[in-house]
Amino acid sequence: MVVRADLAGQPAKLAVQVRPPGGRPMPAVSHPYWLRDNCPCADCRDPRGGQKRFQIGDLPDGLTAVEAVEDAAGLAVLWSDGHRSHYPAGWDAPAGPDERTEHAKRLWEGGDFARGLPEADWAAYLADPEERIAVLAAVRRSGFALLRGVPVEEGRVLAVARSFGYVRETNYGELFDVRVEPDPANLAFTSAAIAPHTDNPYRDPVPTLQLLHCLRNDCAGGDSGLVDGFRAAALLREEDPAAFALLARVPVPFRYRDRGAELSAAMPLIGLDPRGAIREVRFNNRSTDTAALSALPPAELDAFYAAYRRFAAITLRPGLRLDFRLAPGDCLVFDNTRLLHARTAFEPGDGTGGHRHLQGCYADLDALASTLAVLRRDTAVLDELEELFAGEGAGEYLGEDVTLAAHMLQAAGLARAAGAPPALVAAALLHDIGHFRGSGRELMAGTDNRHGAVAAARLAPYFPPAVTEPIRLHVDAKRYLCATEPGYADRLSPASAHTLALQGGPMPPDEAAAFAAHPFGPDAITVRRWDEAAKDPAAPTPTFAELRPLLMESMRP
Amino acid sequence: MVVRADLAGQPAKLAVQVRPPGGRPMPAVSHPYWLRDNCPCADCRDPRGGQKRFQIGDLPDGLTAVEAVEDAAGLAVLWSDGHRSHYPAGWDAPAGPDERTEHAKRLWEGGDFARGLPEADWAAYLADPEERIAVLAAVRRSGFALLRGVPVEEGRVLAVARSFGYVRETNYGELFDVRVEPDPANLAFTSAAIAPHTDNPYRDPVPTLQLLHCLRNDCAGGDSGLVDGFRAAALLREEDPAAFALLARVPVPFRYRDRGAELSAAMPLIGLDPRGAIREVRFNNRSTDTAALSALPPAELDAFYAAYRRFAAITLRPGLRLDFRLAPGDCLVFDNTRLLHARTAFEPGDGTGGHRHLQGCYADLDALASTLAVLRRDTAVLDELEELFAGEGAGEYLGEDVTLAAHMLQAAGLARAAGAPPALVAAALLHDIGHFRGSGRELMAGTDNRHGAVAAARLAPYFPPAVTEPIRLHVDAKRYLCATEPGYADRLSPASAHTLALQGGPMPPDEAAAFAAHPFGPDAITVRRWDEAAKDPAAPTPTFAELRPLLMESMRP
C-alpha cells in the first residue's frame, strides 16, 4: 500500500494505491469522502451490526486529510475536521459481483445435470449445516434444488420455506394446491400441459422464489420441466442482440383478475442491472396484457413481436430443458426470477381431484441468501474455534493439570451428561475462551483479564445471550458461591483460589443479591460448578468435533 | 376506424387506424401477431380471468389476415390459419402509465398539505368503500395516508395491513416495536433523531410499503417527518442532470448484519423504469456498504460522492419535509419505495421502555393496488346495477302489479327482515336481473330466457357462489317446490304459472332429489319463497341505496 498525502495546498486528495488481497491492483485516487464515509471507528459505525452512525451530509464541505500514516496494521488518517480514522489492512476488499445477476450464476442446459440434480434428503438438510449450505448455494447458483423425503403432509411446504426464509402470501393464499379443479380459473389447475413460464409476473415485487411440494403423482404424465431463463436470454443476446435489447427495454404489461384480485405490473421480459447484466426474467404468455403494447411506436411493435417469438422459441429448445418427475415427498425450490417451470399433460385420474397433487408457496431470495451467509459465517466461526482449541487450547491452563482445551471440553462433557440444553453446553464449552490469545497469562501475572466479559463480547455477534451471558457471569458466579455457599471457597483449586482475589474476592451481600436475581445468574452458577469439576486429567474428555453439532444448534434461537 | 387488408400479395400486414376513445389517433400499422395475440375469443382467452390460452410460439410463422371486415360492433378478421377473431370497438384502449412511476404520482412538498393530510377514521374506512378507496388512492398517489382511531392495542398494525394486503415478514418479525431499547443494534430503537431514509434497502425485493401504528407518544419530541423522494430526485434531475444520471446508474451496496441475518443488496439510489422515469428511491446512509464502491472507476467515485451529497442535501431542505406528530391510534401507511421517513429526537422517558412506542410492519404495493382496483371495479358494478334498477327496472315485470325493480327490492326487504346473511339478501335483490336488457320480453313471448343462469353468469366475476348459485337455481326451485310441496303450484301468480311450463314444468322425482342435495338448493328455495311473496304493490319497498352497503359486503367472502 502506497500513501501520498498532499497536506498543504488545494483541497487535497488522498491517493491510495489499493491492492485488494488476490485482486487486481487498482490505481484509485481515493476521494476523501469515500475514505471518510468508510471510517470503521466505533463513532462512525456501530461495531455490532456495522450500521453507520452519521449521515453523508454530516461530513463538512471541503473535507481533506491533513495527515496520513501507513503502518503495519493499516492506514491512519487525521482529517481537516479533527476526526481520526484508522483503516486496518484489507478493509476495502471489494465485494463480489451482485449475486442476483448472471455473473454470479452457473448458466445451464438440461444435459448439464446428466449426473444428477442438486438434491438433498430433508432429514440430512435439517441435521447438517453443510447440507443446508449445499442446498441453498445450489438455489443461488443453479437456480434450484430438490429436497427429497419431505413428509407427505399437507402444509409441509410452508415448513420448508420457513427453514430458510419467510412465506410470501399472495391472492392464492399462504400456500396453494396444484391439482385438477372442477371449474379452474387458471390453467395450472387443469391436467393440461403448461409451457415454460415464470409465476406471478403481474406482481411487483414478484415473488422471487417458488416451492412445489409433491404429495401425490401416480397418474400417467405430469412430469416437471425447468429451463434456465438466464441461459435462454444469453442465447438470444448471442444470436440476436437487437431482439435482446428490445426485450430488455420494452415494459410488458402483465395482468391477472378474478373476483378478488386486479393485479397488474409492467416490466420488461428481460430485466438488466444498471451495467447491462441479466438480472431477471419474466415470461408468461398467459398473463400478458399485450393490447397495452399498442402504445409502442408501430415499428417497435413489429420488432417486439419478432423478438418475443424468437425468445419463446429458444425457451422451447429441447436441449435447454431439464425434465424430471416429482415423486411424493419431493420439494422443488427454485428462483422464480430466473427459472421457467413447466409440466407435461397428464391423465386427470378419477375425477375426485386427480392423482397429481402438489402444494406450492412463494418466498424470497433475499432471506435465503441471508440464511446461507449466516450458515457460512457460523461455520467459519466454528472452524476458528476448533482451530483455537487444537492450537492455543493445547497449552497449559493456569497451572492446572489439564490443558485449557481439555478443561473446557470436560466442562461441556459434564453439561451434556447432565442433559443441559445446547446453549448451556455451549456456554460450558466456551466459558474460558477469553483466555485465548495470550490473555490467560495476564491473569496469572496478577491482572484481572476479565476473561468472562472478553469471551462474551467475542461471541456476542454469533451466539445468543443464553450462551454468552452465563459465560460473562461465570467469574462472578465463583465470587457469589464463595460468599454464599459454606465450604465452596475451600474446594477451589489452588489456581482458582489464587485468581479469586484478583477478580474481586467473595461478593458483598448486596452484590450477591443482585447476582441471584439476574436472569442468567442461575445458569452462570451451573456452568461454574462444571467449571470447577473439569480439571481432572483422568476424566473422560469429549472431542470438539463431537460437540460441534450441539454448538451449531446453540447459535440459533 | 379504417381498415385496409392486402389479401393478395406478400405476407400481408393489416393496417388498422386505431383511434382510442378520447386518445390521440395512432397511425398504427398493426402487426398481425399483435392483433392475433390479442384475439378476445373464448378459445384464445379464458373469459373468466382473461388468461391467454395459447403460447406466443403457437401462432404459425407467416401469419396473415386473409379477410378483414369492419362493422358497427368492431373488426372481424379471418386469419391465414383459419382462425376467426372479432375485436369489439374500443378493445385496444391503451393502458394508463405504469402506476409505480413518477408520472402516476402527485409529487409534493411539505407545504402542499397545509390544509390537511390525507387521512380517514379507521371505523369509517372499515365501513365505507368510498373511504377505503380514498385512503388507498392517497397511498398510491401521494405515497401515504394516515388512519386515525385505530385501536391502541398491540398487534393491530397487522390488521391494518391485512385490510388491503399481506404482511411481509422480515428478520424483524411479522411486526416490530419502535421504542427505546436497552442495548439497541439499530438507531431506530434509541431516542436519537433519524434523518429521512427508506427502510430495508438491503432487501431485494425491498418491502414496498411500511406501516407505523402509534401506541404511545407522550414524551417531548419524537415528531414524524416525511419527504417525497420522487420530488427530491426530480429536483436533482432539474438542478444537476449528470448527478441524477450517475445515481440512477451506480448500484450501491447496502448491508445489514446481526446474529441472525446477513442481508445485502446492490441497487442504485434512484431506480428508473426502462424509459427513464423515476420509479424507486433507496436512501439510507446507515446501511450503505460503500467500501464496495471502490470497484468504481476513480473518476466516478469522486462524482458519485458529490452527487450523493447533493441528493442528501436536497432531502434535507426544510421546504420539502412534511412534519406532523403521531398520536396514539394513528397508523401511517406509506410507500417505502418513494417516501423517506424521519423523526426528531425525543426525551427517552422513565427508563422502562420510554414514552414513545410505535409498532410497525411491512407490506407490498401490488396487493394494495389490487384491493383498490377491486373496490373501484365493485363500486362501478354497483353503480351499473343501481342504474339498471332505476332505468329498465322501472318497467313492467312480466305482467305483475309491481315493477321489476320493486319486485326485487321487496324480495331483498323480506330477506333482510328475516335476518338473512348479506349473500342471501344480495341473491334476493339480484335474482331477476337476467330479465334486464330486454330478455324478460323473450320469456313472455314464449321462449325460456334462462334468466337465472344469465344473471348468475353476469354476476359471477364479481359475486361469490353464495350469491350467484341461489340466483342460478331460483327457477329450478320453483319447479322443485311445485313438484314436492302440495298446494305450492296453486299459489303461483298467473304470470309465474304461465312461465312454469316454458321453464320445464314441475321436476320429475330424480331431478328433485338431486336438487335437494345441491349445496345451494336450500338457499335457492329460500330465495324462491321471497320471490313469490314480493309482488305486492302495497308492500313496503326498500331503496337500492339502502341495500347497497349489504350488497357491497356480499361481494367479499
Side-chain angles (χ1 to χ4, degrees):
Chain A
M1 189 181 274
V2 179
V3 178
R4 286 180 291 111
D6 175 0
L7 308 178
Q10 298 303 311
K13 288 207 172 155
L14 179 71
V16 182
Q17 172 77 24
V18 181
R19 190 186 296 271
R24 62 187 163 76
M26 199 185 71
V29 176
S30 304
H31 193 290
Y33 287 101
W34 168 63
L35 199 61
R36 176 61 175 278
D37 189 34
N38 288 290
C39 175
C41 85
D43 287 339
C44 289
R45 271 189 191 264
D46 188 316
R48 281 162 301 195
Q51 277 205 324
K52 285 185 192 173
R53 288 177 152 159
F54 63 95
Q55 297 301 315
I56 192 68
D58 294 345
L59 301 182
D61 287 335
L63 181 73
T64 59
V66 293
E67 201 181 291
V69 179
E70 196 194 13
D71 60 23
L75 172 70
V77 177
L78 171 63
W79 298 99
S80 53
D81 64 350
H83 189 78
R84 284 181 185 277
S85 301
H86 187 270
Y87 302 88
W91 68 277
D92 73 334
D98 176 355
E99 292 279 344
R100 295 279 274 271
T101 73
E102 58 180 318
H103 300 311
K105 308 295 186 190
R106 172 200 180 196
L107 269 51
W108 54 258
E109 307 196 347
D112 296 341
F113 297 101
R115 291 162 59 186
L117 303 180
E119 62 177 81
D121 180 70
W122 173 242
Y125 167 89
L126 287 180
D128 180 358
E130 295 298 338
E131 282 287 299
R132 284 210 290 290
I133 288 173
V135 167
L136 302 182
V139 177
R140 289 209 88 182
R141 194 147 168 72
S142 299
F144 75 105
L146 196 53
L147 286 162
R148 308 273 197 186
V150 177
V152 181
E153 290 164 17
E154 300 215 356
R156 275 305 180 111
V157 69
L158 299 176
V160 177
R162 291 181 178 130
S163 75
F164 56 73
Y166 308 102
V167 172
R168 176 98 80 90
E169 193 176 351
T170 70
N171 52 309
Y172 300 108
E174 260 199 316
L175 62 76
F176 48 90
D177 289 284
V178 184
R179 60 184 160 193
V180 177
E181 289 187 357
D183 183 31
N186 191 310
L187 195 64
F189 312 132
T190 70
S191 64
I194 302 185
H197 66 285
T198 63
D199 264 24
N200 276 10
Y202 36 76
R203 282 204 172 272
D204 181 17
V206 71
T208 51
L209 276 175
Q210 185 173 173
L211 289 81
L212 286 171
H213 179 212
C214 179
L215 296 175
R216 195 172 173 190
N217 195 10
D218 48 23
C219 56
D223 289 355
S224 298
L226 289 173
V227 174
D228 184 352
F230 280 15
R231 176 77 180 122
L235 281 169
L236 181 66
R237 180 173 55 196
E238 218 172 285
E239 297 170 11
D240 190 344
F244 175 87
L246 193 60
L247 295 190
R249 189 162 52 79
V250 174
V252 174
F254 293 95
R255 181 174 293 277
Y256 176 83
R257 64 176 53 155
D258 64 18
R259 208 160 41 71
E262 278 278 357
L263 289 155
S264 62
M267 300 295 265
L269 298 183
I270 299 172
L272 306 181
D273 80 354
R275 296 211 177 84
I278 301 165
R279 200 177 194 279
E280 188 177 327
V281 166
R282 290 195 192 212
F283 194 86
N284 189 325
N285 199 65
R286 276 180 288 154
S287 307
T288 51
D289 188 28
T290 27
L293 283 173
S294 61
L296 275 182
E300 279 207 351
L301 193 57
D302 286 1
F304 172 81
Y305 268 93
Y308 183 19
R309 284 169 55 79
R310 188 148 189 178
F311 187 38
I314 291 175
T315 70
L316 294 175
R317 285 184 193 163
L320 246 60
R321 176 162 164 157
L322 175 67
D323 289 297
F324 57 101
R325 188 177 175 81
L326 290 176
D330 291 351
C331 184
L332 182 66
V333 182
F334 61 98
D335 181 345
N336 187 49
T337 67
R338 175 182 168 197
L339 296 202
L340 282 54
H341 62 292
R343 71 149 186 247
T344 61
F346 59 94
E347 286 296 325
D350 57 11
T352 60
H355 290 316
R356 185 178 190 270
H357 183 194
L358 313 183
Q359 282 193 325
C361 74
Y362 299 108
D364 281 306
L365 280 166
D366 51 6
L368 181 144
S370 173
T371 302
L372 176 59
V374 168
L375 280 166
R376 283 177 165 157
R377 186 186 71 186
D378 289 354
T379 301
V381 167
L382 297 192
D383 287 347
E384 197 189 330
L385 287 170
E386 191 158 5
E387 276 166 34
L388 281 170
F389 270 70
E392 283 187 52
E396 70 157 0
Y397 168 41
L398 312 181
E400 303 282 359
D401 292 337
V402 291
T403 65
L404 181 54
H407 166 61
M408 293 195 285
L409 290 163
Q410 280 187 13
L414 291 168
R416 189 178 55 171
L424 217 51
V425 178
L429 178 61
L430 304 175
H431 74 275
D432 270 348
I433 65 151
H435 288 317
F436 280 142
R437 295 185 174 140
S439 65
R441 279 188 293 276
E442 287 169 44
L443 186 59
M444 291 313 285
T447 314
D448 179 10
N449 62 356
R450 302 186 62 256
H451 70 282
V454 166
R458 282 186 191 164
L459 297 171
Y462 314 111
F463 290 87
V467 176
T468 59
E469 284 293 282
I471 293 175
R472 187 173 67 81
L473 299 170
H474 83 279
V475 176
D476 280 346
K478 177 169 77 171
R479 297 179 52 231
Y480 172 83
L481 286 166
C482 288
T484 60
E485 188 168 297
Y488 189 89
D490 302 335
R491 291 196 303 273
L492 290 182
S493 71
S496 193
H498 167 75
T499 55
L500 175 64
L502 291 174
Q503 291 159 341
M507 274 184 181
D510 54 339
E511 205 184 330
F515 184 84
H518 190 285
F520 287 104
D523 280 352
I525 292 166
T526 307
V527 168
R528 185 74 220 179
R529 295 189 195 278
W530 294 323
D531 178 0
E532 303 295 354
K535 299 170 180 179
D536 176 358
T541 306
T543 64
F544 189 96
E546 235 175 282
L547 294 165
R548 191 171 160 133
L550 263 170
L551 203 54
M552 188 74 173
E553 207 179 320
S554 77
M555 298 178 93
R556 299 276 70 76
Chain B
M1 192 181 275
V2 180
V3 178
R4 291 180 286 113
D6 174 0
L7 307 178
Q10 297 304 310
K13 288 205 172 159
L14 180 69
V16 181
Q17 173 78 21
V18 181
R19 192 184 297 267
R24 61 188 163 77
M26 200 185 72
V29 176
S30 303
H31 193 289
Y33 288 100
W34 167 63
L35 200 60
R36 176 62 174 278
D37 189 33
N38 289 290
C39 175
C41 85
D43 286 340
C44 289
R45 272 192 191 262
D46 188 317
R48 282 162 301 194
Q51 277 206 322
K52 286 187 191 171
R53 287 177 152 160
F54 62 95
Q55 297 301 312
I56 191 67
D58 294 345
L59 302 181
D61 288 335
L63 180 73
T64 59
V66 293
E67 202 179 292
V69 179
E70 196 193 11
D71 59 24
L75 171 71
V77 178
L78 171 63
W79 297 100
S80 53
D81 63 351
H83 189 78
R84 284 182 186 275
S85 302
H86 187 270
Y87 303 87
W91 68 277
D92 72 336
D98 175 355
E99 291 280 344
R100 295 280 274 271
T101 73
E102 57 181 318
H103 299 312
K105 308 296 184 189
R106 171 200 181 199
L107 269 49
W108 54 258
E109 308 197 347
D112 297 341
F113 296 102
R115 291 163 60 186
L117 304 180
E119 61 177 81
D121 180 69
W122 173 242
Y125 166 91
L126 287 179
D128 181 358
E130 295 298 338
E131 282 286 299
R132 284 211 290 291
I133 288 173
V135 166
L136 303 181
V139 176
R140 289 210 89 182
R141 194 147 168 73
S142 299
F144 74 105
L146 196 53
L147 287 162
R148 309 275 196 185
V150 177
V152 181
E153 290 164 15
E154 301 215 355
R156 276 302 182 112
V157 70
L158 299 176
V160 177
R162 290 180 180 132
S163 76
F164 56 74
Y166 308 101
V167 173
R168 178 100 78 90
E169 192 176 351
T170 70
N171 52 309
Y172 301 109
E174 261 199 317
L175 64 75
F176 49 89
D177 289 284
V178 184
R179 61 183 160 193
V180 176
E181 288 187 357
D183 182 32
N186 191 310
L187 196 63
F189 311 133
T190 70
S191 63
I194 302 185
H197 67 285
T198 63
D199 263 23
N200 276 9
Y202 36 77
R203 282 206 172 270
D204 181 16
V206 71
T208 52
L209 277 175
Q210 183 172 173
L211 290 83
L212 287 172
H213 179 212
C214 180
L215 296 175
R216 194 171 174 191
N217 194 11
D218 47 23
C219 56
D223 289 356
S224 298
L226 290 174
V227 174
D228 184 351
F230 281 14
R231 176 79 180 120
L235 281 170
L236 180 67
R237 182 174 53 197
E238 221 172 282
E239 298 170 10
D240 189 344
F244 176 86
L246 192 60
L247 295 190
R249 188 163 50 80
V250 174
V252 174
F254 293 95
R255 180 175 291 278
Y256 176 83
R257 63 175 56 155
D258 65 16
R259 206 160 42 71
E262 278 277 357
L263 288 154
S264 62
M267 300 296 265
L269 298 184
I270 300 172
L272 305 181
D273 81 353
R275 295 209 178 85
I278 301 167
R279 200 176 194 279
E280 189 178 326
V281 166
R282 291 197 190 211
F283 194 86
N284 189 324
N285 198 64
R286 279 180 286 154
S287 307
T288 50
D289 188 28
T290 28
L293 283 174
S294 61
L296 277 183
E300 280 206 350
L301 192 57
D302 285 3
F304 172 82
Y305 268 93
Y308 184 17
R309 283 167 57 78
R310 188 149 189 177
F311 188 37
I314 292 174
T315 68
L316 293 177
R317 286 184 193 163
L320 246 61
R321 177 161 163 160
L322 174 68
D323 289 297
F324 57 100
R325 187 177 176 82
L326 290 176
D330 290 351
C331 184
L332 182 67
V333 181
F334 62 98
D335 180 345
N336 187 50
T337 68
R338 175 183 167 196
L339 296 202
L340 282 53
H341 62 292
R343 72 150 186 247
T344 62
F346 59 94
E347 286 295 325
D350 57 13
T352 61
H355 290 318
R356 186 177 189 269
H357 183 195
L358 313 182
Q359 282 193 324
C361 74
Y362 299 107
D364 281 305
L365 280 165
D366 51 5
L368 181 145
S370 173
T371 301
L372 175 60
V374 168
L375 279 166
R376 284 178 165 156
R377 187 186 70 187
D378 289 354
T379 301
V381 167
L382 296 193
D383 287 347
E384 197 188 331
L385 286 169
E386 191 158 4
E387 276 167 35
L388 281 171
F389 270 70
E392 282 187 53
E396 70 155 1
Y397 167 42
L398 311 182
E400 303 282 0
D401 293 334
V402 291
T403 64
L404 181 54
H407 166 62
M408 293 194 285
L409 290 163
Q410 281 187 12
L414 292 167
R416 190 178 54 170
L424 217 52
V425 178
L429 178 61
L430 304 176
H431 73 275
D432 269 349
I433 66 153
H435 288 317
F436 280 142
R437 296 192 172 134
S439 64
R441 282 189 291 275
E442 289 170 43
L443 185 59
M444 291 315 284
T447 314
D448 179 12
N449 62 356
R450 301 186 63 255
H451 71 282
V454 167
R458 281 187 192 164
L459 297 171
Y462 314 110
F463 290 87
V467 176
T468 59
E469 282 294 283
I471 293 176
R472 188 174 66 82
L473 298 171
H474 83 280
V475 176
D476 280 346
K478 175 169 77 170
R479 299 179 51 232
Y480 172 83
L481 286 166
C482 288
T484 60
E485 190 167 297
Y488 189 90
D490 302 334
R491 292 196 303 272
L492 288 181
S493 71
S496 193
H498 167 76
T499 54
L500 175 65
L502 291 175
Q503 291 157 341
M507 275 187 181
D510 54 341
E511 204 183 333
F515 184 84
H518 191 284
F520 287 102
D523 280 352
I525 291 165
T526 307
V527 168
R528 185 73 220 180
R529 295 189 194 276
W530 294 323
D531 179 359
E532 303 295 355
K535 300 170 181 179
D536 177 0
T541 307
T543 63
F544 190 95
E546 236 176 284
L547 295 164
R548 191 171 161 133
L550 262 169
L551 203 53
M552 187 75 172
E553 207 180 321
S554 78
M555 299 177 92
R556 298 276 70 76

